[in-house]
Amino acid sequence: MVQPHLQQKNYQNMKEAAILSNQELSNDNKTQNMITIKGIIGLIMSQIDEDNQKDVISLGMGDPTAFSCFTTSYVAEEAVARTLSSAKFNGYAPTQGLPQTRMAIADYLSRDLPYKLTKDDVFVTSGCTNAIDIALSMLARPGANILVPRPGFPIYELCASFRQIEVRHFNLLPTKAWEVDLDAVQNVADDKTVAIVVINPGNPCGNVYSYNHLLQIAETAKKLGIIVIADEVYGHLAFGKNPFVPMGTFGSVAPVLTLGSLSKRWLVPGWRLGWLAVTDPTSMFKQPKVMERLKKYVEIYGGPPTFVQAAVPQILEETDEIFFKKNINILKQTSDLCFEGINKIPCLSCSQKPEGSMAVMVKLNLSSLSDITDDIDFCFKLAKEESVIILPGVAVGMKDWLRITFAVEPAALDEAIRRLKSFCQRHAHQSD
Ligand SMILES: *Cc1c(COP(=O)(O)O)cnc(C)c1O
């Protein structure tokens, strides 16, 4: 068990980090004080007493593999087992990735695009995280800034700070289905802006953007003369009214770097198989010099294990539709459960029903709570009293909100919501 004074200290450190990260600091200071999701979740987990009677339920991290209803497809398992035991893939892969893997990814992405990608447009990366780092590193230059959504995914800030890229935030609008505030984008951009980050389907908001909204984003990028970094790690995980439209659809309006991985759709975040695709059919960004630089840069990384790469063609071509449908159905069910359950708890509100990905943002109504000071305090006390782990909104840039991951076994989610409710009742003002 963590000592009480240490818990207090960690809590204080984290609050300071949260405050610091919201202020203008030099890049070096920022890097040290940056909050990461894993870091915050670790601190919140340390609140839980070992002799606690209740099972811990985590709605904090986005790793659905903790629940038995989220297992990968037989095709994927079999493909990796086959390439591993073939003994043909124990060596180094080319730094850009195995040619057959790049080809399979190009074909997979091209299914939903109005043009065809080739294997030369694709780089195999160690998960989408590595693709983020490659994209940002390629764009880094003295004085450059990138536009990042708030709320967002903290890896972008972390990565930008190491690459000395300034991060400028634009808001996603909770009352407009978490669409991008396009006026804000134009206001924060200047001639040093190199790119805008778009996460769709969205983490942490559960948004799925319409064709028209994505087109507007591309047109804004065109006007600003910048490229779009499209984080589509949740690609195809859409279960609301809007279908998933890849940003690359608008690659001829503004160049798009499409980032993705097997992690979420195939439920294998531990396999570390991702990609970066240059979806730029008119070669606005894709100049020979740029591509040469990209090829050089990826030499720094070893890439994902060769036998996992070798399994990709079979995984992308042969995964059964039934596997995808089953997961979409579970996510739809748990997102509904979450949305309805949360809205029955007076101190919480969720105005926008999640339509994709695995997470949703929930607003904390502090005025109805008697002894909770902020989102971090809420999450610490909730962990201690109810053994439920939730991410404080400040970790994704929105103080006094919460991010709830609903990629959870339905029964566990039900139980977590029940505990959340009794926690809120216990801490509510007497007059409520
Ligand atoms: C999970 C996630 C990633 C990282 O994906 P990996 O393939 O596990 O590296 C990147 N971006 C967003 C928005 C994510 O939610």
Side-chain angles (χ1 to χ4, degrees):
M1 202 184 100
V2 177
Q3 296 300 312
H5 73 277
L6 274 182
Q7 287 181 13
Q8 196 54 42
K9 187 158 171 285
N10 284 341
Y11 176 50
Q12 205 49 46
N13 285 349
M14 191 162 64
K15 276 189 125 168
E16 278 164 18
I19 294 160
L20 285 169
S21 72
N22 286 331
Q23 292 171 351
E24 290 309 313
L25 287 173
S26 75
N27 265 325
D28 283 351
N29 282 338
K30 262 194 180 159
T31 309
Q32 287 185 8
N33 290 306
M34 200 81 52
I35 336 174
T36 64
I37 292 179
K38 288 190 180 101
I40 271 201
I41 296 287
L43 288 175
I44 294 173
M45 287 292 277
S46 72
Q47 298 301 297
I48 293 174
D49 294 343
E50 265 166 24
D51 46 356
N52 199 309
Q53 299 299 306
K54 290 179 184 142
D55 292 343
V56 177
I57 305 177
S58 179
L59 315 180
M61 278 283 283
D63 188 346
T65 61
F67 302 94
S68 62
C69 65
F70 293 107
T71 46
T72 193
S73 77
Y74 174 73
V75 170
E77 276 174 11
E78 205 269 329
V80 171
R82 188 180 51 79
T83 54
L84 174 64
S85 55
S86 75
K88 284 189 204 148
F89 302 105
N90 294 333
Y92 290 115
T95 49
Q96 201 175 334
L98 288 176
Q100 65 269 37
T101 308
R102 287 154 50 210
M103 185 111 76
I105 295 167
D107 289 345
Y108 169 70
L109 296 174
S110 298
R111 285 184 215 164
D112 304 303
L113 293 173
Y115 52 91
K116 268 197 83 62
L117 297 173
T118 73
K119 72 177 191 325
D120 295 329
D121 299 319
V122 175
F123 295 78
V124 184
T125 62
S126 298
C128 185
T129 308
N130 182 212
I132 294 172
D133 183 47
I134 294 170
L136 264 51
S137 302
M138 288 315 296
L139 295 166
R141 63 207 58 181
N145 67 72
I146 57 165
L147 312 181
V148 170
R150 178 169 44 212
F153 188 64
I155 293 286
Y156 286 92
E157 273 88 343
L158 187 63
C159 198
S161 76
F162 275 105
R163 302 300 177 202
Q164 315 269 301
I165 303 175
E166 183 195 342
V167 168
R168 296 189 180 179
H169 291 101
F170 57 88
N171 287 338
L172 304 182
L173 303 167
T175 54
K176 286 188 70 189
W178 297 106
E179 285 191 348
V180 172
D181 183 346
L182 292 167
D183 294 333
V185 167
Q186 303 206 40
N187 290 338
V188 293
D190 63 13
D191 58 350
K192 296 282 195 174
T193 304
V194 290
I196 177 172
V197 174
V198 179
I199 305 172
N200 181 58
N203 177 9
C205 301
N207 54 276
V208 177
Y209 293 147
S210 67
Y211 180 98
N212 279 332
H213 188 59
L214 292 168
L215 173 60
Q216 286 177 323
I217 295 171
E219 281 171 346
T220 306
K222 180 184 183 171
K223 199 146 107 189
L224 297 169
I226 61 178
I227 71 161
V228 180
I229 297 173
D231 184 328
E232 295 178 355
V233 77
Y234 292 99
H236 299 276
L237 292 181
F239 37 81
K241 60 181 187 312
N242 292 333
F244 166 64
V245 176
M247 193 76 214
T249 306
F250 310 104
S252 56
V253 178
V256 177
L257 295 181
T258 299
L259 319 182
S261 75
L262 296 182
S263 304
K264 311 286 164 76
R265 195 182 188 200
W266 274 269
L267 304 166
V268 287
W271 289 11
R272 310 310 302 135
L273 192 295
W275 54 80
L276 180 152
V278 184
T279 39
D280 175 27
T282 55
S283 298
M284 287 180 276
F285 171 80
K286 202 170 70 178
Q287 305 294 322
K289 258 164 69 183
V290 172
M291 297 307 278
E292 283 313 309
R293 216 167 102 80
L294 243 170
K295 282 179 203 159
K296 275 265 160 58
Y297 186 70
V298 296
E299 285 190 30
I300 298 170
Y301 300 101
T306 309
F307 67 91
V308 179
Q309 295 196 36
V312 167
Q314 192 179 350
I315 295 172
L316 294 183
E317 283 152 29
E318 294 177 23
T319 302
D320 205 329
E321 272 305 313
I322 292 170
F323 168 76
F324 297 132
K325 286 218 181 87
K326 174 187 147 238
N327 295 326
I328 288 287
N329 286 340
I330 302 175
L331 289 174
K332 168 130 189 57
Q333 183 198 347
T334 56
S335 65
D336 286 350
L337 232 162
C338 188
F339 179 73
E340 281 153 26
I342 292 296
N343 279 323
K344 285 192 191 121
I345 303 175
C347 70
L348 303 177
S349 69
C350 181
S351 58
Q352 186 58 45
K353 193 168 181 161
E355 303 195 328
S357 89
M358 299 175 173
V360 62
M361 289 299 285
V362 171
K363 192 162 171 31
L364 192 55
N365 180 6
L366 285 173
S367 65
S368 69
L369 294 165
S370 60
D371 58 347
I372 305 283
T373 54
D374 58 20
D375 54 339
I376 296 179
D377 194 29
F378 183 94
C379 294
F380 268 63
K381 287 179 175 152
L382 179 71
K384 200 169 175 51
E385 295 174 26
E386 299 288 346
S387 298
V388 172
I389 309 295
I390 289 182
L391 188 72
V394 74
V396 292
M398 274 181 103
K399 189 170 156 51
D400 298 338
W401 286 66
L402 306 170
R403 185 194 76 169
I404 296 186
T405 302
F406 53 76
V408 172
E409 196 101 49
L413 186 59
D414 253 342
E415 171 63 15
I417 290 173
R418 211 186 50 72
R419 290 188 205 169
L420 248 175
K421 189 167 186 177
S422 69
F423 176 84
C424 285
Q425 277 164 352
R426 207 162 51 244
H427 291 272
H429 281 301
Q430 291 311 316
S431 58
D432 290 1

